[in-house]
Amino acid sequence: MVSSSSLYSSVSTSLPLPAASSSSGAPALLILPPSHLITLLPSLKQLVSTPVVIQVATTGDHAQVLALKSAGLALVYSSSPAQAKDNAVVAARVASVTRKAVLHFGEFGQLSTEGSLPAAGAVEKDVAKAFAAAFDKSSTAATSTTGAAAPKTLLLVLGDASPFTADLPADWAVTSISLYRPIKIADLIPKSVETVVVLEQNYGKAKYNPLFLDVVGSYAEAEDNAAVPKILSGTIGVNVEASAARAAIEDAIKSSTNPFLVSTLPYDTSASTVAAAPKIPTHESTYTSLLSEVFGDRLWVSNAPKSLLPSPSSTISATSPEYALGHVLGSSTKRASLLAAVRSALASSSLDSATKKTLSDFLQNDRSEKFAAAAASAVAGSTDYALASVKEIIEQPDVPFVRKSNWIIGSEAWSHDLGSSGLHHALSTGADVNLLIIDTTPYELPSPDSPAARRKDAGLYAMNYGSAYVASVAVYGDFSQTLTALAEADAYPGPSVVMAYLPGGEDDRTKALKMLTDTKKAIEIGTWPLFRWDPSAEKRGEEQFQLDSEKIKKDLREFLDRQNHLTELSNRLPTFGEALENGSGNKMVEAQKKKAKAAFEALAGALEGPPLLVLFASDGGNAEKLAKKFAGRARTRGVAARTLAFDDYPIEDLGKEENVALFTSVAGQGEFPQNGREFWKAIQNPSFKALGDKVNVTVFGMGDSHYWPRKEDAHYYNKAGKDLHKRLLELGATPFVALGLGDDQDPDGPQTAYKIWEPAMWKALGVDNFESTEPELEPITNEHIKIASNFLRGTIAEGLEDKSTGALAESDGQLTKFHGIYQQDDRDIREERKAAGLEPAFSFMVRMRLPAGVCTPAQWLAVDEISDRRGNHTFKLTTRQTFQFHGIIKANLKPAIQEINKMALDTVAACGDVNRTVMCSANPSLGPLHAKVFAFATELSDQLKPQTSAYSEIWLDKKLVAGDAVKDVEPMYGDYYLPRKFKIAIAVPPTNDTDVYCHDLGYIAILDDKKELLGFNVTVGGGMGVTHSMQSTYPRLADVVGFITPEQGLEVAKAVLTTQRDNGNRANRKNARVKYTVDRMGIRGFMDEVEKRLGYKLQPARDFKFTSNVDEFGWQTGHDGKRHFTCFVENGRVQDEPGKPIKTGLQEVAKIHKGVFRLTANQHLIISDIPPEEEANIRKVLVKYKLDSTDFSGLRLSSAACVALPTCGLAMAESERYLPVLIGKVEKIIEKAGLRNDSITMRMTGCPNGCARPWAAEVAFVGKAPGSYLMMLGGGYHGERLNKPYREAVGEEEIIEILTPMIKSYALERLDGERFGDFVIRKGIISATTSGKAFYEGQFPGKEQ
């Protein structure tokens, strides 16, 4: 009996709910245990809009409650009975005024239903406002904060916060959350916060907890330069003690452990939730574990391996569909016998009235667990003879009163041949059987040929029967929809078919991240739509078809119009064929067509908003990202948007579309990007069918107006987008939004135009008044890949075994960088292979870790052999003093790494977001000093190397770490490693051959009068990477920050590295290097943090002087009398060419050399430590193979180039293959001016990432498009000053035209000892770059107007 002053109109402990009072406005109260929340799923949509308070008393674990966090329910948490009393009133008031459901959960027992509600009035549509008003009238609050007003560390707690509030550090605060939904995370985190620790009581199986994911997601849209705090996820266990809890949190913060545990869990969460859960194939466990959670003890997987087996002589497998169906039908027969026996017993006059009522209730609803349990109890406690037959039946196996949820698990094999498979038999029987068919077909883009090759769709086949429940689900796409479908299938009184997507699931080695991304792609383009089809819904006045994803396949739309309907009807109804022959089947045919039309209309109308096809063509990825972001925003407004690359779209379907938005960037001289060229060719064809005015089109082009500074070239700007727009209109399409042209030179880049174009699109589509509250889907970034990689393992090992492709998975391609490996393809033949229907010619670049660039002759010979046996018969000496192989195919990758290991070297940390190869001056005249700095470089390289054992497991076949029994740790890097790469160089004055200022961290050796090592000046904050036309990115030279002793060198490196680890920008990789962290914090602020970690301040920097950063070629004698020869290897490429047998010659040198080889940072080679008596032998080999010559121009000797085309995937133009040609032409100018022997540093790269350190050269060229380069002037000859952009887009003709008068003027007007870079500044040709941030100031003074 509810009190007259009750908060609630009615109280229930099960569905359906009693109706809420409309007159009083009081909501209903539904009291449920956490385990029963799953029963809400089928009615959740209606429940959300019902005035009801769902009260759930938890016992510490919130996992089952928080699984509903995205269901639209308001969620209120109470950590104690006292708080729950107040929050119960708040929940009731909000449910009353909003007429919506509120879920109140927490650690409390039975609560009072007494209280007062506001007078009935207008409905408050804003739930957040309703909560604010309700909390204002309550003694409790939505959130409560204890501690510092401007904290640096914030504990965000959804759970019992009491253990965390005692004795807080001065700069900590604790915020306890009562209102979890709706919530604005940004309002809870002060701007002063540097670390957010999210603490939750969630003991589910997910790696990351719900609130943590909310917090991370709240920063997804942060500005590029916005400060993003470190975010950690902690789980609150049981029996939490305050001091131990604080210690656990401090340890997690210090080590960046994520996630971590506070205290201990109440039970082993890895154990199965059902004690008798059957053993099942691994790939099925993703879904069968859900079955266990939903149905608990009622679950019966009839074809599980541990099910009742047939006789040993049987040839039928217990796991086969045919056996399982027979097993289920046999069980159904036994249950029918039980029901018949109960009916017979009810006819007996000897049964007492109470027992009769109990059994009658059971017969009326034998699916009710409550009635079944009561009936079982009544029968067990009765001695009446009338129940003897009932008792006899229930004593048999598999005949309980409580109905089992029977499931048959099948793979896509069930639908290979529908005419003879178990699916056909299951549907034909009409039995109450549930089929879970797991489709593990790997994801692939649709093609014109794929429908013919694709297996028949079992879901569509079942829908044609008209009497089966059918659902298409994907646990990695929509978890709640999957649970709802399983619950609905179980409740449906007839056959149910649930098609479950698990791409790649047939391989136990496929990782969840791969399945997640492939599932998202399949749902996105419609190859795996999410839907539910319930034939019984029509009787309830509900829609039979529920579309749960935005895109549906064409064949699903047309499934009832198939030509084989008559055959299927004949199979299902034997009388149908005879009726058709007699001419009396026309009514049945018409009925079937009518049903088909109705179903199609339901399918077509299931989309909530207008359809929209979004196509993109993109080389660099910017147009693709913008297109996908636009499509995602469209979907949140109800638009049925789908996204594809131009060339992945079946062009013949373009005329069938209603609305099409096309995004394209531009390549070369106005050409389309690579993945849009076939599309463009097709619509240019005169035979291409006109589109007609029913196709609405719009184009958004992306380009850079500064690419084409000359008036005669201006038409190339955004040419692809403009040409595409013009052609679509010629084909008759209707422009429903004007052409948008994004320009990199606008204040916000392409966003300036896009911010105008996008609202116009919403208006054209009729969704301009819609405001979405759904967050945009967070893209998978490098940070996600790293944390999900299990310490750099990913699925690399599995990918190496995949013989179907020459590539690795995209996420693994990011991880292999940490192993020193880049995936590439031969871009010279990309188009030809695509035209031939082949995948790109994938191969791998492998870079070795070689501290200070020193190797033995034996190691050189091994490198040479590997390049022939595994690579493309060449190798490269890089600008980081190491070896680099190209052209290694996947099958040769592991053998190559093992052969490198045999020479006592490795490739680990040669790339990736870690410290990379440590560089060191290679000057042979350094004598014993080189030995000391070489030893220091080796120490840094070894001590800063990642500690994961993944490298040895994957490549060297060392013992694998089994599951989670042994867990890797990265004591220095943590789970996320660094935000970006980290580079260290050591220079010994007077030669800056390593370009020490260009690195994140540098050491400049300081010598005493006796040339002994006193210590090092430390430099911090250098870096070369830039993005074209994005002025928030820039090169930067390091600052000299102080002096240290040699013994302090390693600890300084660790302090700088961990400061970057904890403060670098992880939200935007383009601003993630140390240089940006230094500029954001200020060099003094950065060093304050470094010195805080060191526990001491650096000494003032000592004096030093650099005079050059190029190599000294030819013969030199060391202090010990040993000889050294610096050999010119142009751009570091070791290969044999006609007239230049460099590779063979150096191989012959290595065979007789008794010293070592030193690779230089300028890509050359020092044959070092030659005993005087061996010099003649070395000279003979050098002369024989033409390696002895150093008679090259000073310009050529001072040049450097990166690899670029054809292998580098980032290259926009040629570099290594073109720079020697360009220098040959500039040399003519140099020689004419009498400057042949003058050193001028000239560098070229194919992209702005700066591998050859172009931004520090006197003259430099950075590729922007084939044959087009950004030209820089004014760098310092000693590497002490950045250059500055002089011309934005120049080709060879312009380069010669610019340099000719400039070099002539330099020859005639230079001062004594004046370098070319200094000269162009003094003459006002270019202004000096004083800092990285000033790089763009005064750029392009020579640009034509």
Side-chain angles (χ1 to χ4, degrees):
M1 186 72 180
V2 179
S3 167
S4 60
S5 62
S6 174
L7 292 166
Y8 309 106
S9 62
S10 56
V11 180
S12 174
T13 57
S14 64
L15 289 171
L17 283 170
S21 170
S22 58
S23 59
S24 67
L29 174 64
L30 176 61
I31 303 173
L32 292 176
S35 59
H36 285 194
L37 286 174
I38 196 71
T39 62
L40 298 179
L41 285 172
S43 55
L44 199 56
K45 186 175 181 180
Q46 297 85 352
L47 192 64
V48 168
S49 300
T50 303
V52 57
V53 174
I54 306 166
Q55 189 172 288
V56 181
T58 59
T59 56
D61 183 8
H62 301 161
Q64 291 171 309
V65 176
L66 298 185
L68 301 178
K69 74 166 190 171
S70 302
L73 290 167
L75 300 178
V76 180
Y77 168 70
S78 298
S79 61
S80 67
Q83 186 184 28
K85 183 178 179 181
D86 293 328
N87 283 346
V89 177
V90 170
R93 288 177 174 174
V94 172
S96 173
V97 300
T98 63
R99 315 308 290 165
K100 292 185 178 179
V102 178
L103 195 157
H104 178 204
F105 69 101
E107 285 66 61
F108 50 77
Q110 185 172 355
L111 298 177
S112 169
T113 59
E114 303 300 313
S116 61
L117 294 173
V123 174
E124 173 58 74
K125 294 183 179 180
D126 191 325
V127 177
K129 286 184 179 179
F131 269 110
F135 276 118
D136 283 344
K137 298 176 182 179
S138 173
S139 59
T140 186
T143 61
S144 60
T145 301
T146 304
K152 290 186 177 180
T153 298
L154 176 67
L155 309 187
L156 206 56
V157 185
L158 181 58
D160 183 7
S162 58
F164 309 105
T165 55
D167 299 324
L168 283 175
D171 57 353
W172 283 32
V174 177
T175 295
S176 178
I177 296 175
S178 291
L179 180 59
Y180 178 47
R181 285 289 189 274
I183 189 172
K184 289 186 177 179
I185 298 294
D187 294 345
L188 303 181
I189 304 174
K191 292 183 178 180
S192 62
V193 170
E194 298 174 358
T195 301
V196 180
V197 180
V198 185
L199 300 169
E200 303 168 69
Q201 294 174 196
N202 195 72
Y203 307 150
K205 298 178 181 179
K207 183 171 184 179
Y208 294 111
N209 292 328
L211 179 58
F212 170 78
L213 296 176
D214 291 338
V215 174
V216 172
S218 70
Y219 287 97
E221 292 300 314
E223 296 295 330
D224 290 346
N225 58 353
V228 177
K230 177 196 295 185
I231 306 171
L232 302 178
S233 175
T235 298
I236 306 171
V238 296
N239 303 321
V240 180
E241 193 271 323
S243 60
R246 178 176 163 185
I249 295 170
E250 288 176 336
D251 288 345
I253 294 173
K254 185 176 181 180
S255 62
S256 295
T257 302
N258 202 25
F260 67 96
L261 177 63
V262 178
S263 192
T264 58
L265 294 179
Y267 50 81
D268 181 5
T269 57
S270 66
S272 174
T273 56
V274 179
K279 181 180 179 181
I280 51 178
T282 302
H283 73 275
E284 296 178 0
S285 63
T286 305
Y287 285 99
T288 52
S289 62
L290 289 184
L291 293 177
S292 299
E293 292 181 13
V294 174
F295 304 116
D297 293 334
R298 286 204 306 117
L299 176 64
W300 175 37
V301 179
S302 59
N303 64 334
K306 288 189 177 179
S307 297
L308 180 65
L309 297 175
S311 64
S313 61
S314 173
T315 60
I316 302 176
S317 167
T319 60
S320 70
E322 291 80 5
Y323 168 77
L325 180 60
H327 201 176
V328 170
L329 293 177
S331 178
S332 298
T333 301
K334 293 179 182 179
R335 185 165 181 81
S337 300
L338 171 64
L339 297 178
V342 172
R343 292 190 188 94
S344 177
L346 282 173
S348 172
S349 58
S350 62
L351 280 180
D352 60 87
S353 58
T355 303
K356 280 189 174 183
K357 184 179 185 311
T358 300
L359 295 180
S360 295
D361 290 342
F362 168 67
L363 285 178
Q364 289 177 8
N365 188 0
D366 70 307
R367 290 172 174 267
S368 168
E369 292 185 54
K370 177 181 177 181
F371 292 155
S377 177
V379 171
S382 175
T383 57
D384 196 303
Y385 181 75
L387 296 173
S389 60
V390 176
K391 291 183 176 181
E392 181 179 346
I393 291 173
I394 63 175
E395 288 175 358
Q396 300 177 28
D398 300 329
V399 195
F401 267 94
V402 178
R403 184 184 66 90
K404 289 289 187 181
S405 179
N406 64 75
W407 289 85
I408 300 175
I409 310 296
S411 70
E412 66 269 26
W414 274 65
S415 53
H416 281 185
D417 185 357
L418 298 178
S420 60
S421 73
L423 175 63
H424 170 78
H425 297 305
L427 296 172
S428 298
T429 63
D432 186 7
V433 57
N434 304 310
L435 309 179
L436 178 65
I437 301 180
I438 301 174
D439 190 333
T440 59
T441 305
Y443 164 79
E444 61 180 14
L445 283 169
S447 66
D449 298 329
S450 59
R454 190 177 56 238
R455 298 183 180 105
K456 295 177 183 178
D457 192 317
L460 297 181
Y461 182 80
M463 291 169 76
N464 279 308
Y465 265 77
S467 60
Y469 175 93
V470 181
S472 174
V473 304
V475 68
Y476 286 109
D478 191 333
F479 183 81
S480 296
Q481 186 258 0
T482 303
L483 293 180
T484 300
L486 295 178
E488 289 179 349
D490 175 68
Y492 183 78
S496 298
V497 178
V498 178
M499 302 294 297
Y501 194 45
L502 198 69
E506 80 283 357
D507 188 344
D508 292 345
R509 299 167 298 180
T510 304
K511 298 299 182 183
L513 181 61
K514 170 67 173 171
M515 292 185 184
L516 169 67
T517 53
D518 284 358
T519 300
K520 288 168 64 178
K521 291 175 184 176
I523 295 173
E524 176 79 15
I525 68 171
T527 57
W528 190 268
L530 305 181
F531 65 85
R532 289 168 290 133
W533 167 272
D534 185 353
S536 67
E538 190 174 4
K539 296 179 181 178
R540 303 191 298 271
E542 299 172 1
E543 292 293 333
Q544 289 180 299
F545 187 87
Q546 294 292 330
L547 183 65
D548 298 314
S549 61
E550 291 82 359
K551 176 72 171 62
I552 54 177
K553 292 185 294 185
K554 182 179 178 181
D555 55 354
L556 180 58
R557 286 177 176 270
E558 302 172 350
F559 78 96
L560 285 176
D561 282 337
R562 289 181 177 179
Q563 295 300 311
N564 64 351
H565 282 177
L566 300 184
T567 303
E568 292 168 2
L569 279 172
S570 297
N571 290 339
R572 181 160 60 92
L573 302 173
T575 58
F576 180 77
E578 181 181 351
L580 189 63
E581 288 179 5
N582 294 333
S584 60
N586 293 332
K587 292 183 179 179
M588 298 182 70
V589 174
E590 289 300 315
Q592 190 75 358
K593 288 182 177 180
K594 184 177 181 181
K595 191 171 185 179
K597 183 179 179 182
F600 175 82
E601 291 173 351
L603 280 165
L607 300 172
E608 296 182 359
L612 176 65
L613 171 65
V614 181
L615 299 177
F616 62 84
S618 178
D619 276 338
N622 291 330
E624 178 180 355
K625 289 177 183 176
L626 188 60
K628 290 182 176 179
K629 180 178 180 179
F630 168 71
R633 291 171 63 83
R635 282 191 287 273
T636 65
R637 292 172 174 265
V639 177
R642 64 199 196 278
T643 313
L644 287 170
F646 279 20
D647 288 354
D648 291 332
Y649 178 75
I651 190 66
E652 65 275 7
D653 289 345
L654 191 59
K656 303 174 185 177
E657 301 291 345
E658 184 176 338
N659 302 310
V660 186
L662 304 99
F663 291 73
T664 182
S665 56
V666 67
Q669 290 187 318
E671 290 96 359
F672 277 81
Q674 296 249 2
N675 59 354
R677 293 178 183 177
E678 294 303 316
F679 179 95
W680 176 237
K681 288 177 184 177
I683 67 171
Q684 280 186 299
N685 193 316
S687 65
F688 187 79
K689 187 177 180 181
L691 297 177
D693 58 6
K694 292 184 179 180
V695 180
N696 300 313
V697 299
T698 184
V699 175
F700 190 85
M702 298 173 67
D704 185 347
S705 57
H706 281 193
Y707 252 75
W708 313 107
R710 300 188 307 184
K711 290 181 180 179
E712 60 266 33
D713 294 334
H715 66 286
Y716 291 129
Y717 163 64
N718 247 320
K719 187 175 185 297
K722 291 184 285 189
D723 288 351
L724 176 62
H725 182 257
K726 180 181 177 182
R727 179 56 180 160
L728 291 172
L729 298 190
E730 290 174 351
L731 291 170
T734 300
F736 67 138
V737 169
L739 170 66
L741 297 177
D743 189 349
D744 286 346
Q745 300 306 317
D746 285 341
D748 292 328
Q751 286 292 320
T752 301
Y754 179 77
K755 289 174 183 177
I756 300 172
W757 182 87
E758 186 191 85
M761 281 295 298
W762 302 149
K763 187 173 183 179
L765 292 168
V767 294
D768 50 320
N769 294 323
F770 180 86
E771 291 187 7
S772 173
T773 57
E774 296 183 23
E776 292 183 24
L777 186 65
E778 181 183 5
I780 295 176
T781 66
N782 285 59
E783 296 300 305
H784 294 99
I785 293 170
K786 285 185 282 187
I787 194 63
S789 71
N790 187 18
F791 295 95
L792 309 182
R793 289 171 177 80
T795 55
I796 297 172
E798 294 83 353
L800 292 172
E801 298 298 322
D802 182 3
K803 303 298 190 295
S804 65
T805 175
L808 293 174
E810 183 178 355
S811 59
D812 289 336
Q814 295 298 322
L815 296 175
T816 54
K817 294 178 183 179
F818 291 80
H819 301 256
I821 300 164
Y822 277 78
Q823 180 171 293
Q824 302 176 333
D825 75 283
D826 190 337
R827 293 171 62 180
D828 286 346
I829 59 173
R830 186 183 284 176
E831 286 296 304
E832 289 79 1
R833 290 183 65 85
K834 184 174 183 178
L838 302 173
E839 71 173 7
F842 290 112
S843 64
F844 295 84
M845 180 271 280
V846 175
R847 185 182 296 153
M848 293 172 59
R849 184 174 67 97
L850 193 68
V854 176
C855 75
T856 66
Q859 289 170 332
W860 180 281
L861 290 172
V863 167
D864 185 280
E865 185 178 354
I866 291 171
S867 71
D868 286 337
R869 184 186 301 172
R870 308 296 181 188
N872 62 355
H873 305 284
T874 76
F875 58 95
K876 187 173 176 72
L877 314 182
T878 78
T879 55
R880 292 206 63 76
Q881 291 182 292
T882 189
F883 297 110
Q884 193 164 287
F885 302 100
H886 289 271
I888 299 180
I889 62 172
K890 188 165 74 172
N892 283 334
L893 199 52
K894 191 170 182 177
I897 301 298
Q898 292 177 343
E899 288 162 10
I900 291 171
N901 183 68
K902 289 179 181 177
M903 65 170 104
L905 294 173
D906 59 42
T907 66
V908 67
C911 319
D913 298 341
V914 290
N915 176 60
R916 299 191 176 183
T917 293
V918 179
M919 298 169 63
C920 172
S921 286
N923 190 342
S925 65
L926 296 177
L929 184 59
H930 183 271
K932 292 182 179 180
V933 291
F934 167 64
F936 178 49
T938 302
E939 179 188 30
L940 288 174
S941 182
D942 291 341
Q943 292 297 316
L944 302 182
K945 184 176 68 172
Q947 297 303 301
T948 176
S949 60
Y951 181 85
S952 58
E953 291 174 12
I954 295 170
W955 307 109
L956 307 180
D957 294 327
K958 297 295 178 68
K959 185 177 180 181
L960 298 175
V961 175
D964 291 328
V966 179
K967 186 174 179 62
D968 256 342
V969 293
E970 287 286 6
M972 183 169 56
Y973 287 109
D975 293 358
Y976 287 91
Y977 294 86
L978 297 181
R980 265 315 233 118
K981 57 189 173 186
F982 189 87
K983 297 181 177 180
I984 300 177
I986 306 168
V988 183
T991 303
N992 184 22
D993 55 340
T994 58
D995 269 326
V996 69
Y997 298 114
C998 294
H999 302 269
D1000 301 89
L1001 174 63
Y1003 296 87
I1004 301 172
I1006 303 298
L1007 314 180
D1008 62 15
D1009 294 339
K1010 297 180 181 179
K1011 302 298 183 182
E1012 293 292 332
L1013 182 65
L1014 286 176
F1016 300 95
N1017 279 350
V1018 177
T1019 65
V1020 171
M1024 292 285 97
V1026 172
T1027 299
H1028 279 316
S1029 302
M1030 184 179 289
Q1031 294 193 15
S1032 61
T1033 67
Y1034 47 83
R1036 188 185 192 280
L1037 296 184
D1039 296 292
V1040 179
V1041 295
F1043 173 82
I1044 60 171
T1045 66
E1047 295 74 22
Q1048 295 171 327
L1050 177 59
E1051 59 189 22
V1052 167
K1054 290 182 177 179
V1056 173
L1057 185 146
T1058 56
T1059 298
Q1060 164 65 0
R1061 178 197 67 192
D1062 298 338
N1063 294 279
N1065 187 345
R1066 293 185 182 272
N1068 181 6
R1069 286 182 67 81
K1070 293 184 185 297
N1071 289 104
R1073 290 287 298 275
V1074 170
K1075 59 182 176 179
Y1076 301 113
T1077 309
V1078 167
D1079 280 346
R1080 177 163 44 84
M1081 298 175 67
I1083 187 62
R1084 189 62 260 164
F1086 187 91
M1087 289 309 300
D1088 285 345
E1089 179 62 28
V1090 170
E1091 290 171 346
K1092 178 181 176 182
R1093 295 172 188 236
L1094 288 171
Y1096 57 83
K1097 291 187 176 296
L1098 274 59
Q1099 300 176 43
R1102 306 293 175 89
D1103 292 336
F1104 66 94
K1105 183 179 181 180
F1106 286 131
T1107 59
S1108 172
N1109 71 348
V1110 298
D1111 295 332
E1112 296 182 26
F1113 296 92
W1115 288 95
Q1116 296 180 56
T1117 303
H1119 74 291
D1120 55 0
K1122 290 186 177 180
R1123 298 282 280 163
H1124 311 268
F1125 181 77
T1126 303
C1127 180
F1128 175 74
V1129 182
E1130 190 159 30
N1131 298 320
R1133 178 61 62 184
V1134 180
Q1135 64 182 356
D1136 286 340
E1137 298 179 58
K1140 296 181 181 179
I1142 297 175
K1143 188 168 183 288
T1144 300
L1146 291 175
Q1147 182 187 89
E1148 294 302 315
V1149 169
K1151 290 178 180 178
I1152 64 172
H1153 183 35
K1154 294 181 171 58
V1156 297
F1157 289 104
R1158 298 182 191 175
L1159 282 61
T1160 79
N1162 291 307
Q1163 302 176 292
H1164 304 297
L1165 179 68
I1166 303 175
I1167 306 169
S1168 187
D1169 297 329
I1170 304 171
E1173 62 273 17
E1174 297 293 333
E1175 180 182 342
N1177 294 330
I1178 298 293
R1179 280 183 178 272
K1180 287 180 182 178
V1181 176
L1182 294 176
V1183 170
K1184 177 179 179 181
Y1185 293 98
K1186 302 178 183 179
L1187 296 174
D1188 61 322
S1189 176
T1190 58
D1191 186 23
F1192 301 99
S1193 71
L1195 177 67
R1196 192 174 293 271
L1197 291 172
S1198 306
S1199 67
C1202 70
V1203 175
L1205 298 172
T1207 54
C1208 179
L1210 300 176
M1212 302 174 182
E1214 293 282 359
S1215 179
E1216 180 190 315
R1217 296 192 297 193
Y1218 174 60
L1219 182 59
V1221 177
L1222 177 63
I1223 287 178
K1225 297 186 177 183
V1226 177
E1227 279 177 331
K1228 295 178 182 179
I1229 306 170
I1230 292 283
E1231 291 181 2
K1232 189 174 181 180
L1235 301 177
R1236 186 181 190 280
N1237 295 323
D1238 286 72
S1239 175
I1240 299 174
T1241 56
M1242 178 182 286
R1243 296 173 183 170
M1244 176 178 282
T1245 59
C1247 79
N1249 285 307
C1251 292
R1253 302 187 290 278
W1255 314 107
E1258 294 179 287
V1259 184
F1261 304 95
V1262 174
K1264 298 191 73 174
S1268 179
Y1269 297 86
L1270 175 68
M1271 180 178 182
M1272 272 75 57
L1273 292 175
Y1277 180 74
H1278 309 143
E1280 80 288 359
R1281 182 181 61 243
L1282 292 171
N1283 50 34
K1284 187 178 293 292
Y1286 178 70
R1287 285 289 185 88
E1288 190 154 18
V1290 296
E1292 184 177 288
E1293 183 178 338
E1294 292 93 341
I1295 294 171
I1296 301 302
E1297 182 182 326
I1298 291 168
L1299 288 179
T1300 298
M1302 205 175 287
I1303 291 172
K1304 181 178 180 181
S1305 176
Y1306 172 58
L1308 297 174
E1309 303 174 26
R1310 62 178 172 171
L1311 303 177
D1312 288 344
E1314 187 175 29
R1315 294 294 179 179
F1316 184 76
D1318 300 325
F1319 172 79
V1320 294
I1321 292 173
R1322 181 175 63 82
K1323 296 293 290 184
I1325 296 172
I1326 197 79
S1327 59
T1329 300
T1330 56
S1331 69
K1333 287 185 174 181
F1335 178 68
Y1336 298 103
E1337 294 177 4
Q1339 65 176 338
F1340 308 132
K1343 175 181 149 184
E1344 290 183 337
Q1345 301 300 320

